[in-house]
Amino acid sequence: MAADARHHVTGRPATSTARAVPLGNGTAPVAVPLPEAAGPREAVTRLRAHGCWYPSADPDGTEAAFICDRGGVPQLWAGPVQQDEVRLLDASPDPVTEVAWSPDGRWIAYTAAPGGGEHTRVLCVRPDGTGRRILAGADPDTSAYLGCWARDGSAVAVTVAVPAVRTSEDGSPDGTAASLAAPTHRPGDGLSAYLLDPDGLASPVLLASEADAATLRVCDLSFDGSLALLRRGPRGRREALVRRTADAATTCTMPVADGDPWIGRFSQDGRTLWLRTDADREFAALYALELDADGTPRAATPAAQRPDSGLELLSMAQDGRTAVLVWNVQGASELELLETAAARPAPDAAGPTRPVPLPHEVVTRAVAAGAGRLLLALSGSRRRPGVWWAYEGVSLLRTPWSSRDEDAVAPGRPPVRPVPLHLTARDGLPLSGWHYRAPGRAPGEPAPCVIHLHGGPEEQERPVFNPLYHELLGRGLDVFAPDVRGSSGHGRSFVDADLGTGRFAALDDVADCAAHVVTAGLADPTRLAVMGRSYGGYLTFASLVWHPDLFRTGVAVCGMSDLLTFFAGTEPWIAESAAHKYGHPVHDRALLRSLSPMSRVDALRVPLLAVHGEHDTNVPPGESEQFVRAARERGLAAELLTLRDEGHEFLRADNRRLFRRTAADWMQRHLS
């Protein structure tokens, strides 16, 4: 932990006289009023088996704004937590990804993805659905996402991303990976964090700006507005910054874990920062960071820690006296409440933790909802995502508008609860995963099996209901979903085990996982398939050419087939972050080429299905197109399914259904 004033920016606390600051070739974000959302306040088509997630409560906790796909696409809804009457606040078809109700109750801010792509904008709307406007991201060349609200609701923090113009060595615009080494920056390029007045009465205030940054998010503001907590940095190297808003000086930095971006919270007096960090640790813990009045750090003391599991989510009660802790315990969640009333951190500053029983396996979000009330977004292996509320940490009750457990799937075939499997990689590294057995199969009967690989690489396989797995199981196909090295939830060393040349070992992990289900008598060695999305799609492409005789087919979803063309085509801030994980596109060019499935495509022996969203700018569709084209040129059966109006995530119900059925049809055809 050390002072860091290398990134000097101008700015001051939000006031009505604050001066607008430059952004690119224009100015800071300007609010764009929108007409009243067309269409009825209720969804035309209501899905019985819908999901509700990402809740944010009004000041007294009686109502919640949340994301729900009951209309076929994730949209912004709001309603009382104890009644089933809900209202649709934005009827546009653009998927919503984040929600934050202002502390004064007057506005609800949210992030939406126009057209379902990767570029996002921040909007706000009044709780009755009026006054809808774009706060940032209206320019299609920019992207914006939410930070926190000021404690009095006068302003909301928003980060705006403006891509730099990248040129080749001769100065001309160039699309090759080598051009990443030569960005040409205009004023405002990169990531800039602002405080924006949703009423439009005060000018935007610049909090921080960084060129070539991978991430930059404002996570909290002190009650008096003098200090800001920011999270920045690429994957695997995130750090927390405490910055004074008066002079933009960074008073301290501290490493923090990947995962949930909401990393910490200031105490009411601003003299303690409660921070979720894995600094010098295998697993993230809660630290109390003591601050001087000007934000200078004095001491950091662990307030809650576990030796073999990490703190995944951190939230604070509105009065700052209670911390809500969610621990990741081998993929499942455990919830605890911790009294944090002590004014100064000390070994005994926090009281003992109090566990809260959960009705389902995984917590995805936990937020305060009025005095003593808590809102939890929960998911489980036999239910769709829903929102639950509790008073004083007891008697968790499902909100009436959340989907019922029995509506998770059609009647007659209940979801399969997975069982954990543990194995050892060929180099001795412990691995694990979740195995789903198709119903009706005789004990001891080897089955056709799909090895499904998650994205990230830092994501983690969790025991939650997955409609894709349910579809595959219904076709008589088992699923084994492992965490290969690089996955989160198993400690910092496990996450870093795939860096650089360690990625070759991650490719071996896939083969070792397939071998384990075979030797354990669970899978038929002649009917194995591999499938995955994003990084899992890359692993699928790679596994088919590194282990060409192991799998009968594969389905690669939004995967990278050539790491060099991926770097050339992805978003600049994604490239900045990915370089730490995969290698630099210039300095590590030979390594990236050797790790690219396209470099070994001649080894491909089996049919392949690729799936991609047409608006994906995270992993551009060309990554799937070039691999499918190469497979066809070699006389192999290869197909490409392009999903319209989708980006890197598939968010629309009709497209998700098409994807699941197409993938399951393909697997059934080639494994039967």
Side-chain angles (χ1 to χ4, degrees), residues 13-14 150-152 221-228 245 266-270 293:
R151 298 297 182 108
D152 61 0
L221 295 165
S222 61
F223 278 79
D224 62 3
S226 64
L227 298 176
T245 56
F266 291 107
S267 63
Q268 283 191 313
D269 63 1

Side-chain angles (χ1 to χ4, degrees), residues 540-542 544-545 556 559-562 596-602 604 606 608 610 621-634 638:
T540 297
F541 284 137
L544 293 177
V545 297
M560 305 93 77
S561 62
D562 186 320
S596 295
M598 284 296 294
S599 68
R600 301 172 60 102
V601 71
D602 286 339
L604 186 65
V606 297
L608 166 83
E623 293 299 304
S624 288
E625 293 166 0
Q626 63 191 5
F627 200 88
V628 168
R629 184 167 54 249
R632 288 174 175 172
E633 290 171 353
R634 287 155 178 79

